[in-house]
Amino acid sequence: MDKLIITAAPVGAEASRQDNPNLPLTPREIAEEAVRCAEKGAAIIHLHVRDAEGKATQSKAVFQETMQLIRKQCNVIIQTSTGGAAWMSAAERLQPVELRPEMATLTTGTVNFGDEIFSNPLPMIAEFAKAMVKYGVKPEIEVFEVGMIHNALALVKKGILQLPLHFDFVMGVPGGIAGEPKHLIHLVESLPPGCTWTVAGIGRCELPLAVIAAAMGGHVRVGFEDNVYYTKGVLADSNAQLVERIARIAHELGRPIATPDEARKILGLGL
Ligand code: KMH
Ligand code: ZN
């Protein structure tokens, strides 16, 4: 079994200070939180950014500023979002890929997202995938429904992407696949050999799915993008607290934590 790659998703596009007053919003706050997550064992930061009003933005300039602040302080893999928020245009969402982050997300299908629609038509997915290839960015395939695995594999068949791919199973979004262990097993069994996978459980699914993934040989994502609670009714103090907990549990399970450089090897990123 590979070492466990922990991804921290400290901001997201949807969470607000009403949900958790400790949500980082400015480039400096996000960078400082990313560094604390890395210190607790996160190898990857799944990065969203916010504008001066705290609203989700895909501004290249804000991403650049935040990425520079993170890189100045630690050696962590930065994975920029191309999902942005459900209301954003494709062009807006794609902007941070031009900054050549080591990784970026690629959602390979359209899904209901709460009361919104997270729109990812097939031609748009192919355009995003080609941009990632052009800028040397490793995609993380974001899977909200099982058909999205097949859509990603269709891009391999067309010669746009290459195996092995790395997947993130986002489970428990209202409108997407439910956060139940039986669905996780089905998703994992639907992957071709050699692919790697992470699970991002939403809300109360976060911890149980992370523990199951750690025991199964998968990887895990935690953070305020997916869940702002430490336990039922108790808000987390920080993203780093959520990272620290899953690192501790993994240790108890006998699954060592991957450093960023070890994660780069596991994911086939250029060192
Ligand atoms: N905010 C969601 C609509 C990603 O980062 O690629 C999309 C999302 C996925 O967060
Ligand atoms: Zn995201």
Side-chain angles (χ1 to χ4, degrees):
M1 220 182 256
D2 284 326
K3 288 189 177 179
L4 179 73
I5 301 172
I6 301 176
T7 298
V11 193
E14 291 81 23
S16 72
R17 286 254 166 97
Q18 274 78 52
D19 299 318
N20 187 319
N22 303 316
L23 181 74
L25 292 175
T26 65
R28 188 159 298 280
E29 288 168 353
I30 294 169
E32 283 171 3
E33 183 72 330
V35 173
R36 284 190 290 269
C37 288
E39 285 167 357
K40 297 295 181 191
I44 301 177
I45 302 299
H46 169 68
L47 191 63
H48 286 255
V49 294
R50 303 293 181 96
D51 66 14
E53 275 75 54
K55 194 168 160 223
T57 176
Q58 289 289 102
S59 155
K60 208 166 128 181
V62 183
F63 266 100
Q64 188 164 34
E65 182 185 352
T66 312
M67 288 162 70
Q68 278 171 353
L69 286 168
I70 296 171
R71 284 192 183 129
K72 247 193 239 162
Q73 298 174 75
C74 69
N75 163 34
V76 70
I77 299 166
I78 297 177
Q79 176 196 83
T80 58
S81 171
T82 68
W87 45 266
M88 290 176 179
S89 71
E92 194 174 358
R93 284 169 47 187
L94 194 54
Q95 291 177 78
V97 169
E98 292 173 22
L99 297 168
R100 300 179 185 273
E102 285 184 269
M103 297 182 79
T105 54
L106 177 64
T107 300
T108 47
T110 295
V111 64
N112 285 296
F113 192 86
D115 291 338
E116 297 177 288
I117 294 175
F118 182 32
S119 180
N120 297 284
L122 297 181
M124 194 194 102
I125 301 166
E127 181 203 332
F128 277 31
K130 284 178 191 166
M132 290 183 203
V133 172
K134 176 176 163 193
Y135 289 104
V137 178
K138 166 108 178 174
E140 175 182 88
I141 309 297
E142 304 297 295
V143 168
F144 293 73
E145 283 290 2
V146 68
M148 295 190 191
I149 295 177
H150 309 124
N151 293 342
L153 297 179
L155 293 174
V156 174
K157 239 186 179 164
K158 286 185 180 156
I160 298 172
L161 293 179
Q162 282 185 346
L163 291 174
L165 289 172
H166 176 63
F167 291 83
D168 177 33
F169 302 137
V170 186
M171 302 182 68
V173 168
I177 195 163
E180 293 174 23
K182 66 181 177 193
H183 298 315
L184 178 61
I185 305 284
H186 178 54
L187 291 168
V188 173
E189 287 182 346
S190 302
L191 298 183
C195 289
T196 47
W197 59 275
T198 293
V199 70
I202 303 301
R204 64 176 186 272
C205 306
E206 180 175 86
L207 182 60
L209 289 175
V211 174
I212 293 168
M216 284 174 71
H219 305 283
V220 303
R221 181 172 108 177
V222 295
F224 288 2
E225 174 164 349
D226 304 328
N227 164 49
V228 294
Y229 288 95
Y230 188 77
T231 189
K232 192 173 163 54
V234 180
L235 291 173
D237 293 336
S238 67
N239 285 275
Q241 187 189 28
L242 299 174
V243 172
E244 187 175 30
R245 173 171 61 183
I246 193 62
R248 187 175 68 240
I249 294 171
H251 177 73
E252 293 290 330
L253 291 170
R255 185 101 192 266
I257 306 302
T259 64
D261 281 346
E262 288 167 339
R264 288 182 176 100
K265 280 206 185 103
I266 294 166
L267 298 173
L269 304 177
L271 275 174

mmCIF file of all heavy atoms in Angstrom, residues 13-14 46 48 81-86 105-107 113 118 142 144 221 225, ligand 1:
data_model
loop_
_atom_site.group_PDB
_atom_site.id
_atom_site.type_symbol
_atom_site.label_atom_id
_atom_site.label_comp_id
_atom_site.label_asym_id
_atom_site.label_seq_id
_atom_site.Cartn_x
_atom_site.Cartn_y
_atom_site.Cartn_z
ATOM 1 N N ALA A 13 -15.706 27.144 -2.440
ATOM 2 C CA ALA A 13 -16.399 28.292 -3.033
ATOM 3 C C ALA A 13 -17.680 28.619 -2.286
ATOM 4 O O ALA A 13 -18.233 29.712 -2.438
ATOM 5 C CB ALA A 13 -16.722 27.987 -4.499
ATOM 6 N N GLU A 14 -18.159 27.678 -1.503
ATOM 7 C CA GLU A 14 -19.507 27.824 -0.938
ATOM 8 C C GLU A 14 -19.525 28.194 0.546
ATOM 9 O O GLU A 14 -20.438 28.896 0.995
ATOM 10 C CB GLU A 14 -20.311 26.528 -1.135
ATOM 11 C CG GLU A 14 -20.685 26.236 -2.578
ATOM 12 C CD GLU A 14 -19.549 25.598 -3.376
ATOM 13 O OE1 GLU A 14 -18.645 24.996 -2.749
ATOM 14 O OE2 GLU A 14 -19.550 25.727 -4.612
ATOM 15 N N HIS A 46 -5.859 21.701 -1.996
ATOM 16 C CA HIS A 46 -6.868 21.937 -3.039
ATOM 17 C C HIS A 46 -7.318 23.378 -2.857
ATOM 18 O O HIS A 46 -7.958 23.733 -1.868
ATOM 19 C CB HIS A 46 -8.034 20.958 -2.893
ATOM 20 C CG HIS A 46 -9.199 21.322 -3.750
ATOM 21 N ND1 HIS A 46 -9.160 21.244 -5.127
ATOM 22 C CD2 HIS A 46 -10.427 21.816 -3.446
ATOM 23 C CE1 HIS A 46 -10.312 21.651 -5.619
ATOM 24 N NE2 HIS A 46 -11.102 22.020 -4.621
ATOM 25 N N HIS A 48 -9.037 27.006 -3.608
ATOM 26 C CA HIS A 48 -9.979 28.008 -4.124
ATOM 27 C C HIS A 48 -9.534 29.328 -3.523
ATOM 28 O O HIS A 48 -8.860 29.350 -2.492
ATOM 29 C CB HIS A 48 -11.408 27.732 -3.637
ATOM 30 C CG HIS A 48 -12.083 26.580 -4.288
ATOM 31 N ND1 HIS A 48 -13.075 26.731 -5.234
ATOM 32 C CD2 HIS A 48 -11.936 25.249 -4.101
ATOM 33 C CE1 HIS A 48 -13.510 25.540 -5.605
ATOM 34 N NE2 HIS A 48 -12.833 24.609 -4.939
ATOM 35 N N SER A 81 -8.398 24.739 -8.210
ATOM 36 C CA SER A 81 -9.732 24.315 -8.652
ATOM 37 C C SER A 81 -9.988 24.854 -10.054
ATOM 38 O O SER A 81 -9.623 25.988 -10.373
ATOM 39 C CB SER A 81 -10.789 24.889 -7.713
ATOM 40 O OG SER A 81 -12.075 24.670 -8.241
ATOM 41 N N THR A 82 -10.603 24.032 -10.895
ATOM 42 C CA THR A 82 -11.212 24.588 -12.124
ATOM 43 C C THR A 82 -12.733 24.451 -12.020
ATOM 44 O O THR A 82 -13.443 24.755 -12.967
ATOM 45 C CB THR A 82 -10.735 23.900 -13.424
ATOM 46 O OG1 THR A 82 -11.230 22.556 -13.444
ATOM 47 C CG2 THR A 82 -9.231 23.926 -13.571
ATOM 48 N N GLY A 83 -13.189 23.967 -10.851
ATOM 49 C CA GLY A 83 -14.633 23.875 -10.630
ATOM 50 C C GLY A 83 -15.203 25.234 -10.265
ATOM 51 O O GLY A 83 -16.319 25.586 -10.661
ATOM 52 N N GLY A 84 -14.384 26.012 -9.534
ATOM 53 C CA GLY A 84 -14.843 27.326 -9.096
ATOM 54 C C GLY A 84 -16.174 27.202 -8.372
ATOM 55 O O GLY A 84 -16.346 26.358 -7.505
ATOM 56 N N ALA A 85 -17.118 28.056 -8.751
ATOM 57 C CA ALA A 85 -18.479 27.981 -8.204
ATOM 58 C C ALA A 85 -19.423 27.671 -9.356
ATOM 59 O O ALA A 85 -19.123 27.966 -10.521
ATOM 60 C CB ALA A 85 -18.849 29.296 -7.542
ATOM 61 N N ALA A 86 -20.590 27.102 -9.015
ATOM 62 C CA ALA A 86 -21.501 26.599 -10.054
ATOM 63 C C ALA A 86 -21.975 27.708 -11.003
ATOM 64 O O ALA A 86 -22.297 27.430 -12.157
ATOM 65 C CB ALA A 86 -22.699 25.916 -9.398
ATOM 66 N N THR A 105 -8.080 20.504 -10.711
ATOM 67 C CA THR A 105 -9.220 19.581 -10.750
ATOM 68 C C THR A 105 -9.884 19.597 -12.123
ATOM 69 O O THR A 105 -9.848 20.602 -12.833
ATOM 70 C CB THR A 105 -10.263 19.967 -9.689
ATOM 71 O OG1 THR A 105 -10.620 21.339 -9.870
ATOM 72 C CG2 THR A 105 -9.718 19.747 -8.296
ATOM 73 N N LEU A 106 -10.474 18.468 -12.470
ATOM 74 C CA LEU A 106 -11.200 18.336 -13.735
ATOM 75 C C LEU A 106 -12.456 17.515 -13.454
ATOM 76 O O LEU A 106 -12.375 16.296 -13.277
ATOM 77 C CB LEU A 106 -10.321 17.631 -14.771
ATOM 78 C CG LEU A 106 -10.969 17.358 -16.136
ATOM 79 C CD1 LEU A 106 -11.322 18.670 -16.838
ATOM 80 C CD2 LEU A 106 -10.025 16.536 -17.029
ATOM 81 N N THR A 107 -13.591 18.186 -13.394
ATOM 82 C CA THR A 107 -14.854 17.467 -13.160
ATOM 83 C C THR A 107 -15.367 16.973 -14.503
ATOM 84 O O THR A 107 -15.529 17.765 -15.444
ATOM 85 C CB THR A 107 -15.889 18.382 -12.482
ATOM 86 O OG1 THR A 107 -15.351 18.819 -11.246
ATOM 87 C CG2 THR A 107 -17.195 17.637 -12.235
ATOM 88 N N PHE A 113 -26.140 20.274 -7.903
ATOM 89 C CA PHE A 113 -25.233 20.665 -6.817
ATOM 90 C C PHE A 113 -26.074 21.484 -5.853
ATOM 91 O O PHE A 113 -26.219 22.689 -6.008
ATOM 92 C CB PHE A 113 -24.081 21.474 -7.425
ATOM 93 C CG PHE A 113 -22.925 21.692 -6.494
ATOM 94 C CD1 PHE A 113 -21.919 20.743 -6.373
ATOM 95 C CD2 PHE A 113 -22.844 22.851 -5.734
ATOM 96 C CE1 PHE A 113 -20.843 20.949 -5.513
ATOM 97 C CE2 PHE A 113 -21.781 23.061 -4.874
ATOM 98 C CZ PHE A 113 -20.774 22.110 -4.764
ATOM 99 N N PHE A 118 -24.069 22.148 -11.517
ATOM 100 C CA PHE A 118 -22.630 22.292 -11.775
ATOM 101 C C PHE A 118 -22.419 21.731 -13.181
ATOM 102 O O PHE A 118 -22.395 20.523 -13.398
ATOM 103 C CB PHE A 118 -21.861 21.521 -10.705
ATOM 104 C CG PHE A 118 -20.367 21.616 -10.823
ATOM 105 C CD1 PHE A 118 -19.738 22.751 -11.326
ATOM 106 C CD2 PHE A 118 -19.572 20.569 -10.388
ATOM 107 C CE1 PHE A 118 -18.359 22.833 -11.418
ATOM 108 C CE2 PHE A 118 -18.187 20.631 -10.468
ATOM 109 C CZ PHE A 118 -17.585 21.766 -10.985
ATOM 110 N N GLU A 142 -12.467 14.886 -10.769
ATOM 111 C CA GLU A 142 -13.471 15.033 -9.708
ATOM 112 C C GLU A 142 -14.727 14.272 -10.107
ATOM 113 O O GLU A 142 -15.358 14.575 -11.131
ATOM 114 C CB GLU A 142 -13.815 16.507 -9.496
ATOM 115 C CG GLU A 142 -12.630 17.391 -9.182
ATOM 116 C CD GLU A 142 -11.936 17.040 -7.877
ATOM 117 O OE1 GLU A 142 -12.566 17.185 -6.816
ATOM 118 O OE2 GLU A 142 -10.766 16.612 -7.950
ATOM 119 N N PHE A 144 -18.435 13.119 -9.115
ATOM 120 C CA PHE A 144 -19.617 13.336 -8.255
ATOM 121 C C PHE A 144 -20.671 12.259 -8.514
ATOM 122 O O PHE A 144 -21.665 12.157 -7.796
ATOM 123 C CB PHE A 144 -20.237 14.712 -8.521
ATOM 124 C CG PHE A 144 -19.378 15.877 -8.102
ATOM 125 C CD1 PHE A 144 -18.235 16.235 -8.814
ATOM 126 C CD2 PHE A 144 -19.714 16.632 -6.993
ATOM 127 C CE1 PHE A 144 -17.450 17.314 -8.432
ATOM 128 C CE2 PHE A 144 -18.947 17.726 -6.604
ATOM 129 C CZ PHE A 144 -17.810 18.060 -7.325
ATOM 130 N N ARG A 221 -9.279 13.465 1.520
ATOM 131 C CA ARG A 221 -9.355 14.937 1.527
ATOM 132 C C ARG A 221 -10.225 15.376 2.695
ATOM 133 O O ARG A 221 -11.293 14.805 2.911
ATOM 134 C CB ARG A 221 -9.944 15.449 0.210
ATOM 135 C CG ARG A 221 -10.032 16.964 0.146
ATOM 136 C CD ARG A 221 -10.441 17.438 -1.231
ATOM 137 N NE ARG A 221 -11.785 17.952 -1.248
ATOM 138 C CZ ARG A 221 -12.374 18.494 -2.323
ATOM 139 N NH1 ARG A 221 -11.712 18.561 -3.468
ATOM 140 N NH2 ARG A 221 -13.604 18.939 -2.249
ATOM 141 N N GLU A 225 -13.966 23.196 2.860
ATOM 142 C CA GLU A 225 -14.729 23.130 1.604
ATOM 143 C C GLU A 225 -15.802 22.048 1.698
ATOM 144 O O GLU A 225 -16.890 22.190 1.152
ATOM 145 C CB GLU A 225 -13.793 22.838 0.431
ATOM 146 C CG GLU A 225 -14.554 22.605 -0.877
ATOM 147 C CD GLU A 225 -13.700 22.698 -2.121
ATOM 148 O OE1 GLU A 225 -12.536 23.155 -2.029
ATOM 149 O OE2 GLU A 225 -14.184 22.337 -3.195
HETATM 150 N N1 KMH B 1 -17.545 24.416 -5.984
HETATM 151 C C1 KMH B 1 -18.059 23.348 -6.766
HETATM 152 C C2 KMH B 1 -19.160 23.834 -7.659
HETATM 153 C C3 KMH B 1 -13.559 21.703 -7.892
HETATM 154 O O1 KMH B 1 -12.978 22.422 -7.102
HETATM 155 O O2 KMH B 1 -13.058 21.351 -8.943
HETATM 156 C C4 KMH B 1 -17.004 22.696 -7.599
HETATM 157 C C5 KMH B 1 -15.775 22.273 -6.917
HETATM 158 C C6 KMH B 1 -14.973 21.255 -7.632
HETATM 159 O O3 KMH B 1 -15.393 22.747 -5.867
#
